[in-house]
Amino acid sequence: MKSDFQIIVVDDDPQFIFLHNWSLKKLGFNVHPEHFQNGEKLVEFFKQNEDSQAKFLILLDIYMPIMDGWEVLEFLESKGSFDTIKVILVTSSVDKGDKIKAENYTSIIDFLEKPLAIDYLMGLKDKTIFS
């Protein structure tokens, strides 16, 4: 399947980056999904590609060093790119407060506990993420 959007994995744990990239490739989402080990790198990427009209689905961890997922979300929300950037929080957090906080962000389309399940990714293929 060739998706009409690029997937970016942002997680500070190399094992989860490997697992999520492997799953995405196996299901045919992206041959080479972009990935970053902290939010600051993702923000730099978007600042360098400000004029891009590409669509991005970001699989974002919340708790990372340097710049966490909440800070990334604040940056993304300030850009107002809700038509071209969507976020799925993929986290090890079981804090109900995090889930409630996530509901305040327009760009978030889902909140999942790690690891990202193959069944979930297969379901994404049939969803319209960008309308």
Side-chain angles (χ1 to χ4, degrees), residues 3-127:
S3 58
D4 63 344
F5 55 89
Q6 174 68 34
I7 296 179
I8 302 174
V9 178
V10 186
D11 198 308
D12 62 320
D13 187 327
Q15 292 175 327
F16 281 113
I17 289 175
F18 174 82
L19 177 64
H20 294 159
N21 281 347
W22 180 85
S23 299
L24 291 165
K25 289 176 192 176
K26 180 178 171 90
L27 293 173
F29 276 98
N30 294 102
V31 177
H32 301 288
E34 195 76 51
H35 61 270
F36 302 102
Q37 287 191 312
N38 66 64
E40 185 176 64
K41 297 288 185 189
L42 178 68
V43 168
E44 288 172 14
F45 172 82
F46 279 116
K47 284 181 177 178
Q48 291 172 0
N49 295 285
E50 278 185 314
D51 297 331
S52 173
Q53 294 301 310
K55 295 177 181 174
F56 297 94
L57 175 62
I58 303 168
L59 305 177
L60 180 64
D61 187 18
I62 296 175
Y63 297 105
M64 299 177 287
I66 303 172
M67 179 184 271
D68 67 20
W70 300 121
E71 293 170 294
V72 169
L73 286 163
E74 290 298 323
F75 169 79
L76 295 175
E77 298 275 315
S78 73
K79 292 182 61 57
S81 304
F82 308 117
D83 293 337
T84 57
I85 299 173
K86 302 292 182 185
V87 176
I88 297 175
L89 289 181
V90 185
T91 181
S92 55
S93 173
V94 292
D95 183 347
K96 290 180 184 176
D98 285 337
K99 199 165 198 167
I100 291 168
K101 185 175 181 178
E103 293 172 4
N104 295 316
Y105 293 91
T106 305
S107 55
I108 295 177
I109 61 171
D110 214 342
F111 186 103
L112 305 172
E113 288 182 32
K114 288 180 185 177
L116 188 59
I118 293 282
D119 290 347
Y120 181 83
L121 285 174
M122 286 177 18
L124 274 181
K125 285 185 162 190
D126 299 326
K127 285 187 179 178

